[in-house]
Amino acid sequence: MALVRAGKGKSEILEQTQAVVGVNNVSLKVPKGAISVIMGLSGSGKSTLARCVNRIIEPDAGQLLLDGEDYTTCTPGRMRDLRRRRISMVFQNFGLLPNQTVIDNVALGLKLRREPLAERHRKAGEMLEIVGLSEWASHLPGELSGGMRQRVGLARALATEADVLIMDEAFSALDPLIRTEMQDELLRLQTTLHKTVLFITHDFQEALRLGTRIAVMADGSVIRDGTPQEIVIDPQHDYVAAFTRNVDRARLFDAASVMVETPADGQGGQFVLDDTGQVAGWSAPGGAPASGAYIAVRPDTRLIDIARAASRGRGPIAVVDEAGRFRGRIPEEALLAGIAGDAETMKGTRPDA
Amino acid sequence: MLDPDQVYIPLASWIQIAIEWIADHFRPLFRSIRWPVDELLNAINGTLEVTPPLLLIALFGLLALWLAGRRTALFTVVSLVFILLLGIWYETLTTLSLIATAIVVCVAIGIPLGILCARSDRAWGILRPILDVMQTTPSFVYLIPVVMLFGVGTVPGAVAVIVVAVPPLIRFTNIGIRGVDQELIEAGIAFGATERQLLWEIQLPQALPTILGGLNQTVLLAMVMSVIVAMIGAEGLGLVVLQGLGRLDVGRAAVGGIGIVLMAIILDRLTQAVADRDPRARAGQSRISGAFARLFGGGHRRAEARLEASLDSKT
């Protein structure tokens, strides 16, 4: 540890002590009820970090806080209690017991905390219903497909009613189609369950889809931390930029990130608003009367959908909120720049803006 | 010059003195080792002998039917009837009791030791060379210290059988538990398992196919040794063979030999069937059969392949 504090590099320490520095000086706040993604390539220390969080791997230094309680050095009994009731985990290769039925696997956490059998099966049954595997309850995991097995793993993690969920490369062992399906499933569950999820992945696309916040790790340290849009707009780091380069911006960014808040454009044309702030129409440059030809989109509409609408419709693009009130307009060049990834035209979501 | 006919190191007399000293000073220890083996052996043998032979054959047949299926059950019944007709029934029962006693004691000693070895590298470091020596020593050689320390007869014979048969069970238990998928262990810890829960809920059930493979080895070694211990006066089928040889009565010796072979095949089939059971056949049935399904779950072949791979990587 002294070497780490002295600021020696990872390879230097490996040479001197044969000890590998897994995770170094990572300070993360994982906000309640959101999906926080830790993204990094293999060897970057992300799985080690995840295992430090529930102390499967004991950190040599540092502090772990859960709701302000420091559990870094708590008694084994207290730690077990936390693992049984507060923090659960989903594993890359599912970690299911092959000789126990699906429902018994889901009930593992409940069994370990010694709940009676009937209660275990009742709760596990409910969880299986949530992940849509009720009719598989008495089958063995070996009879299920990969995606279904991970649903069982997810149900097992949910069954303990823990509010913190560590998902270590949970979808990485699944093939791409099933992976997307599971991501949707997780997002769907999250809308009702609001768990605090710490999601570990090496897949940047997955991080972008799931993450409310993303932390990018390399060599045991977090090198970039922010919302998906912040990271794509401004990677701040060559290593991060290598990932963001291939991002499909049209699907990541929304109308709010490219819109201009005035109703008038440079050529003199403008949206005409009525008293309640709703769009009454569009007047062409030169003061011609308002005509109805314009395209309305919501602030959270993705650029890809706006582009699709623009290619079909006629007239300028207005951003309106749920009540129909005018929020801004999107000039064509801003839409194109947003899709092309020209950071200078982006606004609103930039951290320094 | 060194004279080949001369003994320079009187190792024989040293060992004699050492063993005599041990026998003299540790008599209570060996008595107390002997006692449970004696009791167990007598209890099993007594029970088997008072049971009517045909009832016993029927029970074995049912056991074989339940564990291994119709073919093995048929073979078991026919073989046992044949043994009964050959007139070596009581000798067979004695051998069977000897093996049964040895297995009970081996399980009671071997599995806990195997678990200990799996959890502590230091324990495995100490026990491994001992097991290596034990398994390379011809079983014949064990007879010497056993006679010195425990005397002659069926009970010392049982002790010798135990000593010979226990190493594979320790080894397989150790390897079985060490071979449990790391992610399953982590899953157990992550959901708040205590050390004991981890052992009983995850490690032992997962290692069971391997442990049962070890048990199969132990049973076969016990079978072999139960014959050899006839030389220190243990009764049973081995004694039939030994007497036949002593009197140049080839027929009698052959009858004993046939009995031994039939017993060995039955025991091997039954213990292999236990290790081979497919949990799927029983999943979702009553709790007892469900428990058995879990108990005997997992693929034995897979475990063997894994075991061989792990052994290969170690050599």
Side-chain angles (χ1 to χ4, degrees), chain A residues 4 39 44 51 91 105 112 118 123 138 157 165 169 173 185 222 225 228 236-237 244 248 262 267 270 308 325 344 353:
Chain A
V4 179
M39 187 264 156
S44 61
R51 281 162 173 70
F91 293 86
N105 264 296
L112 292 178
K123 284 187 188 167
S138 57
L165 218 62
E169 299 258 12
E185 177 93 11
V222 171
D225 174 20
Q236 282 182 358
H237 207 286
T244 59
D248 185 354
T262 61
Q267 273 86 51
Q270 65 169 10
R308 200 171 286 138
R325 275 188 296 272
E344 293 313 307

Side-chain angles (χ1 to χ4, degrees), chain A residues 51 54 56 80 83-84 87-89 91-100 104 109 111-112 114 117 140 143 156-157 160, chain B residues 181 183-184 186-195 197-198 201-202 205-206 278-280 283-284 287 293-294 297-298 302:
Chain A
R51 281 162 173 70
N54 61 1
I56 288 182
R80 269 200 301 279
R83 287 172 183 153
R84 284 175 182 178
I87 307 172
S88 65
M89 191 162 179
F91 293 86
Q92 177 170 14
N93 297 308
F94 324 129
L96 302 176
L97 298 169
N99 49 2
Q100 297 215 349
D104 282 332
K111 189 177 188 185
L112 292 178
R114 302 195 175 86
L117 183 76
L140 291 172
E143 299 167 66
R156 177 173 69 176
T160 61
Chain B
D181 188 354
E183 214 177 49
L184 292 180
E186 283 186 349
I189 298 172
F191 285 96
T194 59
E195 284 286 308
Q197 284 176 325
L198 202 60
E201 301 289 340
I202 293 172
Q206 295 306 310
D278 186 358
R280 256 165 287 195
R287 282 198 68 197
R294 276 200 292 282
R302 238 187 354 219

Side-chain angles (χ1 to χ4, degrees), chain A residues 27-39:
Chain A
S27 184
L28 277 180
K29 270 205 187 85
V30 178
K32 209 180 181 78
I35 302 181
S36 300
V37 177
I38 295 174
M39 187 264 156

Side-chain angles (χ1 to χ4, degrees), chain B residues 48-59:
Chain B
L48 290 180
E49 279 184 359
V50 297
T51 313
L54 287 177
L55 177 64
L56 204 58
I57 291 173
L59 288 177

Side-chain angles (χ1 to χ4, degrees), chain A residues 76-88:
Chain A
R78 174 70 187 139
M79 193 62 231
R80 269 200 301 279
D81 210 45
L82 285 177
R83 287 172 183 153
R84 284 175 182 178
R85 301 189 179 276
R86 298 294 312 275
I87 307 172
S88 65

